[in-house]
Amino acid sequence: MNYLELINKCLVELNYKQVSAFSELTKNDHKKLKNIINVLNTEICTSEKWNFLLRKEQILLPKNVGETKNIIDGRIETVIADGQKLEYYSDFEAFLMNSQPQNTYGLFNDKILLPVWNKDKTIEIVYYTKNCAKDVNGKEKYNMEEGEDISLIPEPFAEPVLVYGSCLRLKGNPQSVRFGYWMSMYKDALANLRSKISGSSDETPVVKMFRK
């Protein structure tokens, strides 16, 4: 379900008139809804280590060089060199003095700090992308901006989480006749996401509920 379809689904839940084109979303509540959907989408994506956000990048490290530009657009999970996993070591000064523990890597500003080897190395980096959406061509982006953009949260989980969660935030009055229904559907959607999205039965991600 794309961005425009999510918005229209919210409008139905809110008893508002649907729109036929993204350009028609000009009212104040339309603008609020567009922002709320993106905020909620980002909060859910960044709240846990979801496997649908995992990406991999390779970097060539020349011999006798102990640092490389950090081109990773997200949170680093694993760094591997020659089949050996490197553990994160937070003391960047140790790397600058080449006194860090063996098989470790560090971070300093826009650099990834690594051991110095006497031959070129291919460094594999597994990371969680900071992007939470993608456009119609599959190019990832931080927010949904156009009507055809979609969330990186997989279907069928994205629709109920974003629709019911956004309705709660836009009209979050506990006295509202629809409030209990939206809350129930939102909680169920989060539970489904938590229990079914993991790639392994050994993993049990936890989603935090956000309310403002």
Side-chain angles (χ1 to χ4, degrees):
M1 179 168 282
N2 64 34
Y3 193 24
L4 178 59
E5 290 169 336
L6 286 171
I7 293 169
N8 269 330
K9 189 71 180 289
C10 289
L11 294 176
V12 170
E13 286 294 325
L14 295 163
N15 291 321
Y16 290 171
K17 182 180 179 181
Q18 294 187 72
V19 298
S20 57
F22 195 72
S23 59
E24 296 176 20
L25 296 168
T26 57
K27 297 180 179 179
N28 285 338
D29 273 0
H30 291 160
K31 295 175 183 178
K32 290 178 183 178
L33 194 55
K34 287 163 67 175
N35 180 64
I36 287 170
I37 290 173
N38 270 314
V39 169
L40 184 61
N41 185 55
T42 301
E43 286 179 350
I44 292 172
C45 284
T46 57
S47 66
E48 298 295 334
K49 296 180 177 181
W50 302 111
N51 58 13
F52 59 81
L53 298 178
L54 281 172
R55 305 289 183 269
K56 185 169 74 171
E57 189 72 58
Q58 286 190 340
I59 297 174
L60 179 63
L61 184 72
K63 63 181 180 180
N64 301 321
V65 175
E67 65 179 39
T68 185
K69 184 175 177 60
N70 187 357
I71 62 170
I72 302 305
D73 198 20
R75 298 172 291 169
I76 294 175
E77 171 68 12
T78 305
V79 176
I80 300 172
D82 282 350
Q84 174 69 53
K85 179 179 177 180
L86 306 183
E87 299 295 333
Y88 175 67
Y89 188 63
S90 61
D91 184 4
F92 64 86
E93 291 180 341
F95 287 89
L96 300 179
M97 296 182 290
N98 200 28
S99 61
Q100 76 278 8
Q102 286 189 332
N103 300 322
T104 58
Y105 77 95
L107 299 171
F108 178 70
N109 289 338
D110 63 343
K111 302 289 186 181
I112 299 176
L113 307 177
L114 295 156
V116 177
W117 287 287
N118 59 8
K119 62 179 182 178
D120 295 349
K121 292 281 185 177
T122 298
I123 310 298
E124 290 188 329
I125 300 177
V126 178
Y127 66 100
Y128 293 92
T129 179
K130 72 175 185 181
N131 292 315
C132 305
K134 61 183 177 181
D135 65 21
V136 68
N137 297 313
K139 183 178 179 180
E140 294 186 357
K141 57 202 302 187
Y142 188 67
N143 281 328
M144 291 178 280
E145 301 167 305
E146 306 295 334
E148 294 182 325
D149 292 347
I150 64 172
S151 169
L152 291 184
I153 300 173
E155 291 288 359
F157 308 104
E159 177 189 344
V161 169
L162 296 178
V163 169
Y164 297 117
S166 296
C167 289
L168 275 173
R169 290 202 175 182
L170 185 65
K171 300 291 184 181
N173 182 358
Q175 305 304 318
S176 170
V177 67
R178 301 282 289 173
F179 183 87
Y181 171 73
W182 291 335
M183 177 61 76
S184 175
M185 296 300 288
Y186 178 55
K187 290 171 65 177
D188 286 348
L190 285 173
N192 285 332
L193 178 65
R194 182 173 60 241
S195 65
K196 297 178 181 178
I197 204 63
S198 173
S200 169
S201 60
D202 295 327
E203 297 178 10
T204 309
V206 176
V207 180
K208 300 175 182 177
M209 292 184 63
F210 304 93
R211 284 186 56 194
K212 292 183 178 179

